[in-house]
Amino acid sequence: MDIRQLQYFSTIVEEGQITRAAKKLHMSQPPLSHQLKLLEEELGVKLFERNGKILELTNPGKVLYQQAQKLIQQLENTINEVKETEEGLRGVLALGASKSCFSYFPERIQAFLKKYPLVKIHLREGDSFVIGEHVKNNEIDLGVIRLPMELSDFSYRHLSKDPYVAVFPKEWVNKEQASISMSLLKDIPLLLLHRIKGQGQYELILNECRRHGFEPNIVCECPDVTMILSLVSKGVGATIIPKYSLLSFQTTNIRVLSISDTEIMAESALIWSKDRYLTKSAKYFIEMFE
């Protein structure tokens, strides 16, 4: 057994068919089928059961796939580490953030690229659940997410807390008004951030409204703060979002009010994979959050 056979096997698992796997590997089907047969003969087990055209893993196959992923990742980590030792700081640093957290990035990216001009930045966006999945799947090196979120799969660093503010269409608020109490939000149509999966800011705000004795009038839920702010600017409703998430957006046609009688704070974290080799680029970028 060698690493090449494990890569072939893993591709077959992920594609579900030898034909599709061969196409992805840029090879013909017979040699790939032969490699799978050799692997099964060497191990003395059957790795797949056929279900029509689809291949399904046997229990031994599931164990092998799990261990193969670790070995392939370890090999990739070793290659990256060796290259970095020889080449210095260069290559790609893949970052991700939910849009409401993106304000943590621009100044740090600017400073980082000034210091390490040979590194190219790749950016991904999505809500906190999506960013977490990107990190788990090794599609990005680092991500900034909103808490609460299950962090057992990650290494992480807590970031500064951020007060929530109420954002209204400009014409709904007097020029002199700078703050509002929670109770006055009772009958206001609200547009709230709601992540794709799991609990987060939405539940935090909902519980705070209930603590003040009312059920909020929620007319729209959305994981994208850009869409919500666009709707607010058009007069659809108001929203409650972390204050510093506004730093990344134009604030035309909206008014931002502090909330006078709440102490809820938005919390964020910088996350990365526990098991993946952390490149020098990623390590140095993490240091910029100290």
Side-chain angles (χ1 to χ4, degrees), residues 248-259:
S248 302
F249 306 104
Q250 297 291 330
T251 54
T252 308
N253 296 324
I254 63 174
R255 286 288 307 280
V256 181
L257 305 179
S258 62
I259 304 174

Side-chain angles (χ1 to χ4, degrees), residues 1 9 23 30 34 36 43 70 82 112 133 179 195 205 213 223 227 251 276:
M1 186 193 307
F9 168 70
K23 186 175 181 181
H34 180 64
L36 177 59
L43 294 171
K70 294 178 182 178
V82 170
F112 182 85
E133 291 300 298
S179 66
R195 67 180 55 170
I205 293 169
M227 292 182 179
T251 54
R276 186 183 180 188

Side-chain angles (χ1 to χ4, degrees), residues 94-209:
L95 305 173
S98 63
K99 286 184 178 178
S100 68
C101 294
F102 185 70
S103 59
Y104 286 101
F105 274 163
E107 290 184 0
R108 289 178 172 91
I109 289 175
Q110 183 184 36
F112 182 85
L113 290 177
K114 187 175 181 179
K115 192 171 183 180
Y116 307 109
L118 297 180
V119 176
K120 181 183 290 186
I121 302 291
H122 285 186
L123 279 175
R124 301 284 291 271
E125 67 87 17
D127 81 339
S128 293
F129 172 78
V130 170
I131 295 301
E133 291 300 298
H134 285 329
V135 173
K136 286 181 185 178
N137 296 331
N138 296 323
E139 295 165 345
I140 60 176
D141 300 298
L142 306 169
V144 176
I145 52 91
R146 290 288 182 192
L147 300 174
M149 183 167 146
E150 176 56 53
L151 295 173
S152 60
D153 292 327
F154 308 104
S155 296
Y156 57 91
R157 173 169 291 176
H158 285 288
L159 304 178
S160 57
K161 293 183 179 181
D162 189 0
Y164 280 95
V165 292
V167 184
F168 283 82
K170 191 174 182 180
E171 63 273 15
W172 288 19
V173 180
N174 295 327
K175 291 181 179 180
E176 298 77 17
Q177 187 173 354
S179 66
I180 191 171
S181 65
M182 283 295 298
S183 61
L184 293 179
L185 296 171
K186 179 179 179 181
D187 298 317
I188 299 293
L190 290 177
L191 302 85
L192 297 184
L193 287 168
H194 197 172
R195 67 180 55 170
I196 292 173
K197 188 174 180 181
Q199 295 191 343
Q201 298 180 79
Y202 180 87
E203 288 75 18
L204 182 68
I205 293 169
L206 185 62
N207 290 335
E208 184 66 7
C209 291

